[in-house]
């Protein structure tokens, strides 16, 4: 995590990615406890804003962890609507999520995925309208646009469509941002990056400090 801090990242995000295959709904108590402990240890040493993502879609646990660790945001893969995923059909629970946040940690932001990766709509969807619903009916604070799978860049046309539909909303790239394509997604307000800052761009490899610094510099040049 120090690597990301020294490389110029503005925040960091914690998730239980090592739990594959993921549970469809609530995660196990030991997972919640384990991630909470990890976060507590790291944030005592690394002074950056941070967020929590409880995969596959346990927003309630993410909010609980955020409340006790002081997180600034959570990520929710499916906040509104329903998607067919490798865990089966997952439905958004925006009503419950917003109310739990109001009770436990009202200042925590909700970053929600639009057409999340590793999932497909159950029926044909109007991408612009679903993005608007995610923002204006699901009340997501930020919208995440990703590729079809981990490490894949977003479809450029889909990104442009969401950006145009939600000019006032923060839009983040949720997968596939690289030093090479940073200019392509210069209209984004931020990005959540994992694969491309690893050694040789390999998902399971450790973080490469040089890749972190180069990517951060490239993206910040592009959006400035």
């Amino acid at each position: 995590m120090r690597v990301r801090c020294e490389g110029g990242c503005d925040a960091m995000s914690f998730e239980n990615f090592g739990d594959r295959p993921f549970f469809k709904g609530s995660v196990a108590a030991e997972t919640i406890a384990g991630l909470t402990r990890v976060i507590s240890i790291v944030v005592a040493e690394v002074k950056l804003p941070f967020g929590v993502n409880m995969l596959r879609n346990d927003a309630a646990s993410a909010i609980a962890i955020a409340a006790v660790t002081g997180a600034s945001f959570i990520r929710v893969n499916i906040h509104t609507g329903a998607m067919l995923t490798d865990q089966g059909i997952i439905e958004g629970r925006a009503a419950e999520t917003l109310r739990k946040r109001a009770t436990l940690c009202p200042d925590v932001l909700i970053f929600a995925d639009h057409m999340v990766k590793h999932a497909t709509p159950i029926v044909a969807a109007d991408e612009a309208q679903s993005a608007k619903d995610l923002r204006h009916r699901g009340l997501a604070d930020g919208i995440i646009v990703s590729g079809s799978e981990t490490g894949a860049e977003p479809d450029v046309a889909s990104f442009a469509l969401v950006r145009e539909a939600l000019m006032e909303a923060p839009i983040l790239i949720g997968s596939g941002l690289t030093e090479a394509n940073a200019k392509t997604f210069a209209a984004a307000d931020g990005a959540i990056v994992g694969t491309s800052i690893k050694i040789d761009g390999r998902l399971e490899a450790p973080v490469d400090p040089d890749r972190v610094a180069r990517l951060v510099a490239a993206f910040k040049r592009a959006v400035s």
Side-chain angles (χ1 to χ4, degrees):
M1 292 298 180
R2 282 192 180 278
V3 168
R4 301 187 186 191
C5 183
E6 294 167 359
C9 294
D10 298 305
M12 53 189 174
S13 184
F14 296 88
E15 64 182 22
N16 55 321
F17 188 75
D19 281 342
R20 295 166 294 170
F22 304 118
F23 289 104
K24 176 180 176 180
S26 300
V27 302
E30 58 268 27
T31 302
I32 299 169
L35 188 58
T36 302
R37 183 180 182 190
V38 168
I39 292 172
S40 299
I41 292 170
V42 173
V43 301
E45 298 292 330
V46 182
K47 304 304 180 183
L48 279 178
F50 64 93
V52 183
N53 183 16
M54 288 301 288
L55 299 164
R56 173 72 151 141
N57 206 56
D58 191 353
S61 293
I63 287 173
I65 295 173
V68 300
T69 60
S72 298
F73 62 92
I74 66 167
R75 179 178 183 174
V76 184
N77 282 182
I78 301 164
H79 184 56
T80 59
M83 298 289 282
L84 179 60
T85 76
D86 48 318
Q87 292 79 37
I89 295 173
I90 299 180
E91 298 181 41
R93 303 182 65 180
E96 294 94 331
T97 300
L98 268 292
R99 285 161 175 79
K100 183 169 287 291
R101 179 182 66 170
T103 300
L104 296 181
C105 48
D107 294 329
V108 168
L109 302 176
I110 295 173
F111 295 161
D113 282 89
H114 173 257
M115 301 293 178
V116 68
K117 57 193 173 184
H118 298 287
T120 56
I122 297 174
V123 297
D126 182 324
E127 289 193 37
Q129 187 59 56
S130 66
K132 292 177 182 178
D133 288 346
L134 185 57
R135 172 68 169 175
H136 300 304
R137 294 173 66 82
L139 303 181
D141 298 294
I143 308 300
I144 300 172
V145 180
S146 301
S148 60
E149 62 181 358
T150 300
E153 71 174 59
D155 177 78
V156 175
S158 293
F159 169 73
L161 185 152
V162 173
R163 176 75 283 176
E164 183 177 358
L166 296 172
M167 292 300 295
E168 87 295 349
I171 306 294
L172 293 85
I173 301 301
S175 70
L177 186 75
T178 66
E179 185 181 358
N181 67 18
K183 288 185 179 179
T184 301
F185 299 106
D189 298 287
I192 300 172
V193 183
T195 306
S196 69
I197 59 172
K198 302 293 188 69
I199 293 173
D200 298 327
R202 291 181 291 109
L203 179 62
E204 305 295 344
V207 173
D208 183 334
D210 291 335
R211 280 177 169 260
V212 174
R214 293 200 309 269
L215 177 59
V216 170
F219 187 62
K220 289 188 175 181
R221 283 196 304 270
V223 301
S224 63

